[in-house]
Amino acid sequence: MNSEHNFLLKLSNFSSSWTGTIIIVLFFIFFVAQAFVIPSGSMKNSLLIYDFLFVKKFSYGMPTPHIPWLEVQVAPDFNGNGHLWEGKRPQRGDIVVFRYPNEPKTYYVKRLFAISGDEVIFAPRAMYLRPNMSDDEIRKTYGDENLFKIGGKFYVREPYKNLGIYYDSSERKDNFGGQEIDIFSIATMFAAQGRFAMSAIFAPELAPLDGLDFNAFYFKVKEDEFFMVGDNRENSNDSRFWGPINYKHVVGKPWFVYFSWDGDKKEVRWDRVGRFVDSLESDERYINASK
């Protein structure tokens, strides 16, 4: 009994010391959850600018730990996939926090649109998904009413019915220097400069575009890659522009909002504080309040 009491006393003393506190905090950040703030409007109306949230680090395996802010890796990448141990891969429709492939110290958050073997078509004000499934499986999963035939294949138009997904061409594009033109036009300019990940195609089943010999962009996702797209379809710098991410870039899944600040109204969004992200993206009250 005395030995148990002594152990608990030592543990209490250690945890209350500066060293113990730092170790406990780092353990929490490395292996449980890490704080993250939504910096842009690319995930409106599911996640809002200045939503402060915790990211669940163990959702898709355990990422190789980094010291926060400094982003210094503190453990070897033994598996060569950015994770101490592997877990399940992100699933279609998941909101995922990941490292931006072109600048791994920067974190992004987007919705997973397509996984290995899937095909993606991006057209004006529409996204189409050809899941890596048989036609029968696609029909069973998504329903005939959502299917659209392009190039002899079934595609699902807007496969994710989350309430926060929307198109607004009139919105200023804070992710593209404040431009006010639609994102397909922005994509066309990027493609002309060789800075766009998708390939231009002409799909006879889609409406032609004046002055262009193509009317959509196409991409097929490779093995163990993930095609990420923002819910704010017209204002998201995402995989359409810089390509898919690898499993090594995956950090975790947004968990819950611990604080939320409305920068325009200069007030706390109390209705979002303490809410799980799953509830925010599926509850019409919070989606409507963000519009």
Side-chain angles (χ1 to χ4, degrees), residues 1-13:
M1 190 71 176
N2 286 336
S3 60
E4 182 179 343
H5 179 269
N6 290 337
F7 171 77
L8 293 175
L9 183 61
K10 289 179 181 179
L11 183 62
S12 175
N13 291 337

Side-chain angles (χ1 to χ4, degrees), residues 88-107:
K88 68 174 184 177
R89 297 309 197 249
Q91 303 297 302
R92 297 183 188 95
D94 285 359
I95 298 178
V96 181
V97 174
F98 56 92
R99 296 179 180 277
Y100 178 41
N102 296 336
E103 180 50 68
K105 291 185 178 181
T106 301
Y107 293 90

Side-chain angles (χ1 to χ4, degrees), residues 28-39:
F28 183 83
I29 292 172
F30 290 162
F31 302 111
V32 182
Q34 184 172 341
F36 180 82
V37 59
I38 302 298

Side-chain angles (χ1 to χ4, degrees), residues 188 200-203 208-216:
T188 299
I201 62 168
F202 182 80
L209 300 176
D210 292 341
L212 296 176
D213 60 0
F214 62 92
N215 58 357

Side-chain angles (χ1 to χ4, degrees), residues 32-33 53-56 58 253-257 275-278:
V32 182
L53 48 85
F54 280 116
V55 178
K56 192 188 298 184
F58 50 88
K253 188 175 177 61
W255 200 355
F256 67 90
V257 174
R275 299 283 178 180
F276 287 100
V277 170
D278 289 345

